[in-house]
Every structure is written in structure tokens, then in C-alpha cells.
């Protein structure tokens, strides 16, 4: 799957890592719902770190359709709320 991180670019990620990302996404959603800004920041960083660690960056001139779009590391809680669906950032 192709994941776009806003402001950074795209990363190719094997579908086998989706469960790990979904766990972090669930934590992020819970922290947003409770207004836990510190937890939100920590979990967003962990989610983006996992994508970087597990994925392979695509060249800057590559423009593949993205299956997931994640906020940048400096996104605020309010920014991410605007991106969320009922299932969080990562459907499933």
C-alpha cells in the first residue's frame, strides 16, 4: 500500500503492517476523543515513526495513488480531527 504523509511524501508499506498501524490509530483516536494533547502528540509521532521504519520512501518525483493519508508530525489535534473518519485515520 502507498501511504502519504502530508508535507513529506509517499511511503510504500507492506499490508502486513496494517495491524500495527491500526493499533496506533486506535490509541490516537482515543486520545483525541479524551482531549489528551500530550498522548496525542506521542502517539502521532509513534505512528509516523512506524511508517518510516516499516516502509520504503518513494522518490520525490513519483506520484502514486495513496491508500492512506496521514497528517504531518506538526499537525495539531484540531488539524487531525478534521481528517478523521469514524474509523480514525486508518480504515479497518
Amino acid at each position: 500500500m502507498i501511504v502519504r504523509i502530508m508535507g513529506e511524501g509517499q511511503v510504500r508499506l507492506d499490508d502486513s503492517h496494517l495491524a500495527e498501524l491500526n493499533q496506533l490509530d486506535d490509541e490516537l483516536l482515543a486520545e483525541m476523543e479524551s482531549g489528551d494533547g500530550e498522548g496525542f502528540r506521542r502517539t502521532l509521532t509513534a505512528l509516523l515513526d512506524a511508517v518510516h521504519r516499516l516502509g520504503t520512501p518513494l522518490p520525490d518525483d513519483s506520484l502514486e495513488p495513496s491508500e492512506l493519508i496521514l497528517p504531518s508530525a506538526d499537525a495539531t489535534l484540531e488539524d487531525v480531527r478534521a481528517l478523521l473518519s469514524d474509523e480514525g485515520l486508518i480504515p479497518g
Side-chain angles (χ1 to χ4, degrees), residues 10-49:
Q10 294 179 302
V11 177
R12 184 176 308 277
L13 196 65
D14 191 271
D15 289 345
S16 65
H17 300 297
L18 196 54
E20 180 179 348
L21 298 181
N22 267 323
Q23 181 179 355
L24 290 166
D25 185 48
D26 290 345
E27 290 175 31
L28 189 68
L29 186 58
E31 290 157 352
M32 291 185 62
E33 288 174 350
S34 70
D36 180 0
E38 192 174 303
F40 161 80
R41 178 67 43 215
R42 182 180 55 250
T43 305
L44 178 58
T45 298
L47 177 62
L48 297 175
D49 287 349

Side-chain angles (χ1 to χ4, degrees), residues 14-90:
D14 191 271
D15 289 345
S16 65
H17 300 297
L18 196 54
E20 180 179 348
L21 298 181
N22 267 323
Q23 181 179 355
L24 290 166
D25 185 48
D26 290 345
E27 290 175 31
L28 189 68
L29 186 58
E31 290 157 352
M32 291 185 62
E33 288 174 350
S34 70
D36 180 0
E38 192 174 303
F40 161 80
R41 178 67 43 215
R42 182 180 55 250
T43 305
L44 178 58
T45 298
L47 177 62
L48 297 175
D49 287 349
V51 170
H52 288 132
R53 176 175 43 85
L54 300 169
T56 304
L58 295 179
D60 289 340
D61 61 351
S62 175
L63 191 57
E64 302 285 329
S66 301
E67 295 173 62
L68 298 175
I69 300 175
L70 299 177
S72 63
D74 63 349
T76 66
L77 204 139
E78 291 76 26
D79 293 337
V80 176
R81 274 195 181 119
L83 295 173
L84 284 177
S85 71
D86 290 341
E87 296 184 15
L89 292 169
I90 302 171

